[in-house]
Amino acid sequence: MGSRGARSVRAAGTVLAVTGIVTLVGGLLAAPASLAAQDRVAESTLVELTVTPIPVIPVEGFDGAYGTAGTPDTGAPSDHVDGDFSDPDGVLDLVTVNGTQVVETSWDAASGQLTTRGNATGFEFDYNGVDDFLTAGSVDSYARCVDGQAAALAYARTDAVQFMVLGQSIPYYVPTEIAVTGADLNMPGVAGGTVTVLGQAVENVVNEPEQTSAEAYLEYTATAELYDENGDLVYSGPLFDLTVGHVKVECQAPVDPQTPSETPTTPTDPPTTPTETPSESPSETPTSPTETPSESPSETPTTPTETPSESPSASESTPPTGPDTTPPAGGGPGDGLPVTGGPVGILLAAGTAATVSGLLLLWASRRRLRG
């Protein structure tokens, strides 16, 4: 009797352990999707600088950022992040930032708004040891997105219509070629050549069912064709990329109105009252000698058995014009969004409990068999 009881305990323990493991695996697989569905990103960087290395000249390369603010705590009712101006990359060795400097991000759960901003009065860039190779005016950049709404926007502005390169005025949005010498660029092995520069505001806004994001910045780029004193080409390619006031946000995508495909289009067809009467007399009065009277009485005896098996439950839980059929109008952080963290947590907890219980039962059965 003890051996039989131990085997029963062992069988129950095995079932519980296997069930728990399967549940845990399902929860772990669902967790990344749940987390990804709730991702929000906000970034603000005042200066991003990339200098292309040119070993043949030589020019030393550089890649760094200055004045940064990352994503606020979007799990809180509201949060605000001010910029970090500690300059670990050494950008300020090459770029002078004038006047007020602002980088910040913020989150407001009540409105679902995630915003980011960047401001400065002006910039001076020393390229390859050439003081004030490029000077530019102010930057004012801003980006915003709203959870669950196609309401993203972004802009990048400056107070000038021109910027300066090697003392020459360059209009924005016009690639401009400048004749240079090696002395202009502090490149002794270069006799002459041309530098092409471009300054522009970049604004990227996406309002799509699968993506909502916004990005903006001012960008200054330069490329060159450089020759030695014999007329041979020494270098052809990029010199640098200077980006100021780079702001970027990403919110949860708007809810697609077509997603609740389970909602019936004609929920008035299923009868609402006859569901109680068939359960009392299915066996006494089988008026139609079909082969499936035992399955249909609880549904509806006057219609085909396939139709009521799906529609009554749908008509009870989702009315034809339920709140899930349209995107949220108020911009709340959770209205109609696929927030699945709760169910995933339940799966993981249930799986853990079942696994532990099963292992305990297996241990107990083993002790009983040994005893």
mmCIF file of all heavy atoms in Angstrom, residues 22-23 41 57 59 65 99 115-116 120 129-130 144 181 184-185 199 243 246 256 258 299 322 329 343-345:
data_model
loop_
_atom_site.group_PDB
_atom_site.id
_atom_site.type_symbol
_atom_site.label_atom_id
_atom_site.label_comp_id
_atom_site.label_asym_id
_atom_site.label_seq_id
_atom_site.Cartn_x
_atom_site.Cartn_y
_atom_site.Cartn_z
ATOM 1 N N VAL A 22 6.749 23.672 -18.607
ATOM 2 C CA VAL A 22 6.122 24.154 -19.847
ATOM 3 C C VAL A 22 5.579 25.570 -19.665
ATOM 4 O O VAL A 22 5.730 26.442 -20.514
ATOM 5 C CB VAL A 22 4.999 23.191 -20.284
ATOM 6 C CG1 VAL A 22 4.194 23.791 -21.433
ATOM 7 C CG2 VAL A 22 5.595 21.842 -20.694
ATOM 8 N N THR A 23 4.941 25.820 -18.512
ATOM 9 C CA THR A 23 4.405 27.155 -18.246
ATOM 10 C C THR A 23 5.507 28.197 -18.144
ATOM 11 O O THR A 23 5.398 29.315 -18.657
ATOM 12 C CB THR A 23 3.576 27.147 -16.948
ATOM 13 O OG1 THR A 23 2.565 26.137 -17.040
ATOM 14 C CG2 THR A 23 2.905 28.495 -16.725
ATOM 15 N N VAL A 41 11.527 55.409 -25.873
ATOM 16 C CA VAL A 41 12.893 55.915 -25.932
ATOM 17 C C VAL A 41 12.856 57.422 -26.100
ATOM 18 O O VAL A 41 12.073 57.952 -26.902
ATOM 19 C CB VAL A 41 13.678 55.277 -27.104
ATOM 20 C CG1 VAL A 41 15.065 55.891 -27.216
ATOM 21 C CG2 VAL A 41 13.782 53.769 -26.926
ATOM 22 N N ILE A 57 47.813 61.536 -44.686
ATOM 23 C CA ILE A 57 48.147 62.969 -44.626
ATOM 24 C C ILE A 57 49.113 63.341 -43.495
ATOM 25 O O ILE A 57 50.098 64.065 -43.818
ATOM 26 C CB ILE A 57 46.854 63.797 -44.616
ATOM 27 C CG1 ILE A 57 46.202 63.671 -45.992
ATOM 28 C CG2 ILE A 57 47.123 65.243 -44.257
ATOM 29 C CD1 ILE A 57 44.908 64.386 -46.145
ATOM 30 N N VAL A 59 45.659 62.660 -40.718
ATOM 31 C CA VAL A 59 44.640 63.314 -39.897
ATOM 32 C C VAL A 59 44.124 62.274 -38.911
ATOM 33 O O VAL A 59 43.756 61.157 -39.308
ATOM 34 C CB VAL A 59 43.479 63.863 -40.753
ATOM 35 C CG1 VAL A 59 42.358 64.368 -39.858
ATOM 36 C CG2 VAL A 59 43.954 64.967 -41.674
ATOM 37 N N ALA A 65 30.578 62.360 -28.283
ATOM 38 C CA ALA A 65 29.339 63.100 -28.049
ATOM 39 C C ALA A 65 29.478 63.916 -26.777
ATOM 40 O O ALA A 65 30.201 63.538 -25.840
ATOM 41 C CB ALA A 65 28.153 62.155 -27.943
ATOM 42 N N GLY A 99 27.075 80.213 -25.118
ATOM 43 C CA GLY A 99 25.798 80.597 -24.527
ATOM 44 C C GLY A 99 25.125 79.489 -23.758
ATOM 45 O O GLY A 99 25.749 78.563 -23.228
ATOM 46 N N THR A 115 8.837 63.711 -24.425
ATOM 47 C CA THR A 115 9.416 64.846 -25.139
ATOM 48 C C THR A 115 10.914 64.925 -24.888
ATOM 49 O O THR A 115 11.439 64.402 -23.894
ATOM 50 C CB THR A 115 8.767 66.172 -24.700
ATOM 51 O OG1 THR A 115 9.032 66.383 -23.303
ATOM 52 C CG2 THR A 115 7.262 66.145 -24.940
ATOM 53 N N THR A 116 11.612 65.622 -25.798
ATOM 54 C CA THR A 116 13.043 65.847 -25.662
ATOM 55 C C THR A 116 13.405 67.163 -26.338
ATOM 56 O O THR A 116 12.733 67.586 -27.293
ATOM 57 C CB THR A 116 13.839 64.670 -26.268
ATOM 58 O OG1 THR A 116 15.231 64.935 -26.150
ATOM 59 C CG2 THR A 116 13.492 64.470 -27.727
ATOM 60 N N ALA A 120 21.321 75.613 -27.753
ATOM 61 C CA ALA A 120 22.600 76.292 -27.518
ATOM 62 C C ALA A 120 22.646 77.528 -28.402
ATOM 63 O O ALA A 120 21.935 77.626 -29.413
ATOM 64 C CB ALA A 120 23.787 75.383 -27.800
ATOM 65 N N GLY A 129 43.309 71.133 -36.203
ATOM 66 C CA GLY A 129 44.153 72.184 -35.665
ATOM 67 C C GLY A 129 43.901 73.553 -36.252
ATOM 68 O O GLY A 129 44.600 74.516 -35.895
ATOM 69 N N VAL A 130 42.928 73.701 -37.131
ATOM 70 C CA VAL A 130 42.590 74.995 -37.721
ATOM 71 C C VAL A 130 41.513 75.649 -36.862
ATOM 72 O O VAL A 130 40.379 75.157 -36.788
ATOM 73 C CB VAL A 130 42.094 74.842 -39.169
ATOM 74 C CG1 VAL A 130 41.734 76.200 -39.756
ATOM 75 C CG2 VAL A 130 43.139 74.135 -40.026
ATOM 76 N N ARG A 144 8.572 65.162 -29.976
ATOM 77 C CA ARG A 144 7.522 64.679 -29.082
ATOM 78 C C ARG A 144 6.765 63.545 -29.746
ATOM 79 O O ARG A 144 6.542 63.547 -30.962
ATOM 80 C CB ARG A 144 6.528 65.794 -28.772
ATOM 81 C CG ARG A 144 5.414 65.384 -27.808
ATOM 82 C CD ARG A 144 4.183 66.264 -27.974
ATOM 83 N NE ARG A 144 3.464 65.960 -29.199
ATOM 84 C CZ ARG A 144 2.447 66.685 -29.684
ATOM 85 N NH1 ARG A 144 2.057 67.770 -29.035
ATOM 86 N NH2 ARG A 144 1.845 66.343 -30.802
ATOM 87 N N THR A 181 43.911 75.307 -49.959
ATOM 88 C CA THR A 181 45.311 74.916 -50.040
ATOM 89 C C THR A 181 45.634 74.022 -48.858
ATOM 90 O O THR A 181 44.831 73.881 -47.921
ATOM 91 C CB THR A 181 46.221 76.155 -50.001
ATOM 92 O OG1 THR A 181 46.083 76.787 -48.714
ATOM 93 C CG2 THR A 181 45.845 77.164 -51.087
ATOM 94 N N ASP A 184 45.452 75.947 -45.651
ATOM 95 C CA ASP A 184 44.101 76.167 -45.122
ATOM 96 C C ASP A 184 43.657 75.019 -44.222
ATOM 97 O O ASP A 184 42.926 75.238 -43.244
ATOM 98 C CB ASP A 184 43.098 76.310 -46.275
ATOM 99 C CG ASP A 184 43.305 77.570 -47.091
ATOM 100 O OD1 ASP A 184 43.790 78.561 -46.519
ATOM 101 O OD2 ASP A 184 42.976 77.546 -48.298
ATOM 102 N N LEU A 185 44.110 73.812 -44.558
ATOM 103 C CA LEU A 185 43.669 72.618 -43.836
ATOM 104 C C LEU A 185 44.709 72.101 -42.852
ATOM 105 O O LEU A 185 44.493 71.062 -42.222
ATOM 106 C CB LEU A 185 43.331 71.503 -44.837
ATOM 107 C CG LEU A 185 42.279 71.832 -45.899
ATOM 108 C CD1 LEU A 185 42.132 70.673 -46.876
ATOM 109 C CD2 LEU A 185 40.944 72.174 -45.269
ATOM 110 N N GLY A 199 25.280 72.345 -44.889
ATOM 111 C CA GLY A 199 24.589 72.498 -43.612
ATOM 112 C C GLY A 199 23.093 72.388 -43.829
ATOM 113 O O GLY A 199 22.544 72.969 -44.776
ATOM 114 N N THR A 243 27.048 67.159 -35.834
ATOM 115 C CA THR A 243 25.605 67.200 -35.597
ATOM 116 C C THR A 243 25.346 67.900 -34.274
ATOM 117 O O THR A 243 25.968 67.562 -33.259
ATOM 118 C CB THR A 243 25.013 65.783 -35.557
ATOM 119 O OG1 THR A 243 25.250 65.137 -36.815
ATOM 120 C CG2 THR A 243 23.509 65.823 -35.307
ATOM 121 N N HIS A 246 20.676 67.065 -31.449
ATOM 122 C CA HIS A 246 20.043 65.824 -31.923
ATOM 123 C C HIS A 246 19.036 65.329 -30.879
ATOM 124 O O HIS A 246 19.415 64.955 -29.769
ATOM 125 C CB HIS A 246 21.107 64.764 -32.174
ATOM 126 C CG HIS A 246 20.579 63.551 -32.868
ATOM 127 N ND1 HIS A 246 21.379 62.492 -33.225
ATOM 128 C CD2 HIS A 246 19.327 63.220 -33.295
ATOM 129 C CE1 HIS A 246 20.661 61.564 -33.826
ATOM 130 N NE2 HIS A 246 19.401 61.995 -33.872
ATOM 131 N N ASP A 256 -4.175 49.612 -34.064
ATOM 132 C CA ASP A 256 -4.814 49.457 -35.362
ATOM 133 C C ASP A 256 -6.301 49.173 -35.154
ATOM 134 O O ASP A 256 -6.662 48.197 -34.498
ATOM 135 C CB ASP A 256 -4.157 48.308 -36.120
ATOM 136 C CG ASP A 256 -4.681 48.186 -37.547
ATOM 137 O OD1 ASP A 256 -5.646 48.902 -37.883
ATOM 138 O OD2 ASP A 256 -4.129 47.387 -38.320
ATOM 139 N N GLN A 258 -8.319 47.819 -36.953
ATOM 140 C CA GLN A 258 -8.762 46.570 -37.551
ATOM 141 C C GLN A 258 -8.329 45.342 -36.765
ATOM 142 O O GLN A 258 -8.652 44.228 -37.135
ATOM 143 C CB GLN A 258 -8.188 46.462 -38.983
ATOM 144 C CG GLN A 258 -8.551 47.636 -39.884
ATOM 145 C CD GLN A 258 -10.046 47.811 -40.027
ATOM 146 O OE1 GLN A 258 -10.768 46.817 -40.162
ATOM 147 N NE2 GLN A 258 -10.521 49.039 -39.998
ATOM 148 N N GLU A 299 -26.862 25.156 -26.713
ATOM 149 C CA GLU A 299 -26.626 26.315 -27.565
ATOM 150 C C GLU A 299 -27.959 26.888 -28.053
ATOM 151 O O GLU A 299 -28.533 27.767 -27.459
ATOM 152 C CB GLU A 299 -25.747 25.925 -28.766
ATOM 153 C CG GLU A 299 -24.491 25.147 -28.388
ATOM 154 C CD GLU A 299 -23.560 26.058 -27.623
ATOM 155 O OE1 GLU A 299 -23.655 27.266 -27.818
ATOM 156 O OE2 GLU A 299 -22.769 25.544 -26.825
ATOM 157 N N GLY A 322 -17.595 48.259 -29.239
ATOM 158 C CA GLY A 322 -16.849 48.294 -27.980
ATOM 159 C C GLY A 322 -15.711 49.279 -28.027
ATOM 160 O O GLY A 322 -15.302 49.739 -29.075
ATOM 161 N N ALA A 329 -8.456 58.227 -27.591
ATOM 162 C CA ALA A 329 -8.487 59.649 -27.930
ATOM 163 C C ALA A 329 -7.827 60.504 -26.872
ATOM 164 O O ALA A 329 -7.353 61.587 -27.148
ATOM 165 C CB ALA A 329 -9.941 60.100 -28.115
ATOM 166 N N PRO A 343 -0.231 39.410 -17.493
ATOM 167 C CA PRO A 343 -0.362 37.991 -17.837
ATOM 168 C C PRO A 343 0.963 37.253 -17.863
ATOM 169 O O PRO A 343 1.046 36.094 -17.460
ATOM 170 C CB PRO A 343 -1.004 38.049 -19.231
ATOM 171 C CG PRO A 343 -1.748 39.332 -19.244
ATOM 172 C CD PRO A 343 -0.915 40.286 -18.424
ATOM 173 N N VAL A 344 2.011 37.886 -18.335
ATOM 174 C CA VAL A 344 3.314 37.222 -18.363
ATOM 175 C C VAL A 344 3.781 36.934 -16.948
ATOM 176 O O VAL A 344 4.295 35.850 -16.644
ATOM 177 C CB VAL A 344 4.345 38.091 -19.118
ATOM 178 C CG1 VAL A 344 5.745 37.533 -18.923
ATOM 179 C CG2 VAL A 344 4.008 38.143 -20.590
ATOM 180 N N GLY A 345 3.591 37.890 -16.030
ATOM 181 C CA GLY A 345 3.977 37.668 -14.644
ATOM 182 C C GLY A 345 3.211 36.510 -14.017
ATOM 183 O O GLY A 345 3.770 35.710 -13.254
#
